[in-house]
Amino acid sequence: MFGKSSTAFEVQIRREGRWTIEGTYDDERRALASARSWLAVSGVEEVKAIKFRSLAGLSLETVIFQKAVPVVKDKPMALGGTAEGAPHCTAPGDLYGFEARVVAGRLLRAFLDKFRITPTELLHSWTYLRKLDEQGLLLGAALQAVARHHADRHGVAVPARARELRGFADAVLTRARDFQAERKALPAFDPADLSGSSRALAAAVGEEGHDFAFLSQLTVHLADRNSLAGKLAMLLDLIGPEVEPRHLALLDGVMADALGSAELVKELLGAQPNLALGLCALADLILGRDPQPKSEPVSPLLAHVGALIVQGRAPCCRAVLLERIQHSLNGTQPLDRRDPKKEALLADHLATHLRDPQGRLLGGAEVEKALARRLIRHRQAILREQGMHDIADRLSGR
């Protein structure tokens, strides 16, 4: 009486709040299988399958499957270290300095590693500064940590100093946002002609704005690589024999930013037998010595950085690798995880290996203190194993 009916199925997905049709089917099982498969696709927020039935000129629509993809909330990022060494900045421009970037790299390590960027890229990119600001608590915690450090060192009030630092951070955000709008009107950055690019930029923005504009354009160039090792390779490619001292200093700073990542340094060191030999390999690079027989060869990238350090062309890289040695010595990881009983022997070997040809210890008094503290911890562990806890506790007061 009513004629034949027809049935069809449609799969729709929601991305960024918008629904789109992803497929039509004449079989219910195929439609449901397709809908379920979309739940595993990155970026999909919700999926539904709809059954359409037409009968006697009427169209009936029934949702036979609908499911939202669970939202996985990232754990709040925590500070990656202390604000030790944070310079007492007096203007927003001071935040771009090398010492300030070292501290930012330490405090914001979780954020930087998540997006695989350096502190220089963060400070010159409106995109990443906005992402950091949207984290809310992380930036605030970092500013509070620096304010407390300044209070301890300079006697300033923490609340007032935190507000002042927040104002500096806002100025950096504004500058990066403004540059993003102005960048298209500036001369193009040519990695094959740094001198020419630099002169054109200086003519466009003036000498005072040159370094900021140069580094901002450099960060856009580095965005082509999605790893810190890849970015380090790009930076090294820019350092030819005729690179100007001004540009070399800027590139050295960005390379040092990249080497502030412990994960990158581990990757470049390769599979060293233990921590002691890894630190010896870093010392060899800094001092220009041949590697130890038992050490694994380091990455050619790190070897290239080492050559620049020995030539005196990468002082920032040298400083960061020295800090890495000191930080590792201050840590609790044994110098050889497989045989912690060798701690004293390896510490003695390391103390000898960290000296330059003139007998000076790399890192000076701070590294010497770190080695001494490590030996004390080792002796305490041995005493506690033997039940002599009181004697072990008294050692810490030495």
Side-chain angles (χ1 to χ4, degrees):
M1 181 186 300
F2 298 105
K4 293 184 178 180
S5 65
S6 62
T7 304
F9 302 88
E10 189 174 274
V11 173
Q12 300 179 6
I13 67 169
R14 178 167 61 87
R15 274 195 179 107
E16 297 181 353
R18 298 180 60 185
W19 285 98
T20 58
I21 299 171
E22 289 301 326
T24 57
Y25 304 87
D26 55 10
D27 180 78
E28 182 173 341
R29 287 180 299 177
R30 289 178 58 207
L32 291 173
S34 174
R36 292 189 178 97
S37 70
W38 278 103
L39 292 170
V41 176
S42 176
V44 172
E45 300 164 349
E46 190 174 359
V47 179
K48 61 183 175 182
I50 304 173
K51 177 181 179 180
F52 295 96
R53 188 182 179 202
S54 60
L55 180 64
L58 299 176
S59 179
L60 302 177
E61 177 181 323
T62 307
V63 176
I64 58 174
F65 177 87
Q66 184 167 5
K67 189 170 184 179
V69 177
V71 177
V72 180
K73 293 184 178 179
D74 293 334
K75 292 182 179 179
M77 292 185 184
L79 296 182
T82 70
E84 185 67 29
H88 194 268
C89 301
T90 58
D94 295 339
L95 296 181
Y96 300 100
F98 174 63
E99 291 81 6
R101 296 202 316 272
V102 169
V103 175
R106 192 188 309 139
L107 292 172
L108 304 176
R109 181 49 50 193
F111 180 88
L112 296 169
D113 284 350
K114 177 180 179 180
F115 294 102
R116 295 176 289 279
I117 59 172
T118 64
T120 293
E121 290 174 278
L122 173 63
L123 288 165
H124 293 79
S125 168
W126 164 241
T127 299
Y128 290 118
L129 282 171
R130 183 180 58 191
K131 287 180 184 292
L132 175 62
D133 197 36
E134 289 171 351
Q135 293 285 331
L137 295 178
L138 183 62
L139 178 57
L143 296 175
Q144 283 289 333
V146 174
R148 288 194 298 271
H149 175 71
H150 289 164
D152 293 340
R153 290 299 179 93
H154 307 288
V156 298
V158 173
R161 183 57 178 162
R163 286 194 298 271
E164 186 176 29
L165 290 171
R166 179 69 228 200
F168 294 167
D170 288 341
V172 169
L173 277 159
T174 301
R175 190 178 189 186
R177 183 192 62 203
D178 292 346
F179 181 83
Q180 179 167 291
E182 299 164 0
R183 181 171 61 86
K184 292 182 180 180
L186 293 177
F189 179 79
D190 184 0
D193 184 12
L194 291 185
S195 297
S197 295
S198 179
R199 287 192 297 270
L201 272 179
V205 302
E207 285 296 327
E208 289 187 358
H210 169 274
D211 288 359
F212 177 83
F214 183 91
L215 289 172
S216 295
Q217 290 195 326
L218 178 63
T219 61
V220 176
H221 174 63
L222 294 177
D224 290 339
R225 297 293 174 88
N226 197 31
S227 71
L228 289 178
K231 292 175 181 181
L232 181 61
M234 294 180 76
L235 291 165
L236 288 168
D237 286 341
L238 296 174
I239 301 177
E242 298 180 357
V243 64
E244 295 180 19
R246 180 181 196 176
H247 306 141
L248 178 60
L250 294 173
L251 295 171
D252 173 38
V254 185
M255 290 192 300
D257 283 354
L259 292 172
S261 167
E263 292 305 313
L264 175 62
V265 174
K266 290 178 184 176
E267 177 186 342
L268 297 178
L269 278 173
Q272 298 296 332
N274 53 48
L275 176 59
L277 286 178
L279 297 179
C280 285
L282 288 180
D284 290 336
L285 283 166
I286 293 170
L287 295 172
R289 291 190 301 227
D290 292 333
Q292 295 193 97
K294 294 183 180 179
S295 295
E296 289 293 320
V298 302
S299 161
L301 293 177
L302 192 56
H304 192 168
V305 172
L308 292 172
I309 290 173
V310 173
Q311 296 164 13
R313 304 176 75 199
C316 293
C317 289
R318 185 182 191 276
V320 167
L321 292 182
L322 277 177
E323 184 182 346
R324 176 55 48 198
I325 292 174
Q326 181 182 331
H327 179 80
S328 297
L329 289 174
N330 280 323
T332 58
Q333 178 184 334
L335 293 175
D336 189 340
R337 284 180 174 175
R338 293 171 297 182
D339 193 355
K341 293 181 179 179
K342 287 185 178 179
E343 188 77 7
L345 182 64
L346 290 173
D348 184 62
H349 171 72
L350 193 53
T352 302
H353 203 78
L354 288 174
R355 295 190 180 276
D356 65 16
Q358 288 73 42
R360 295 170 299 196
L361 189 67
L362 286 176
E366 292 302 317
V367 167
E368 189 171 9
K369 291 177 185 176
L371 282 166
R373 284 193 293 266
R374 182 170 279 272
L375 284 174
I376 288 175
R377 289 199 303 268
H378 176 61
R379 291 172 188 151
Q380 287 176 316
I382 293 175
L383 289 169
R384 289 191 174 105
E385 284 179 1
Q386 298 172 352
M388 292 182 277
H389 298 280
D390 291 341
I391 298 176
D393 292 340
R394 287 199 293 272
L395 272 181
S396 60
R398 290 179 58 179

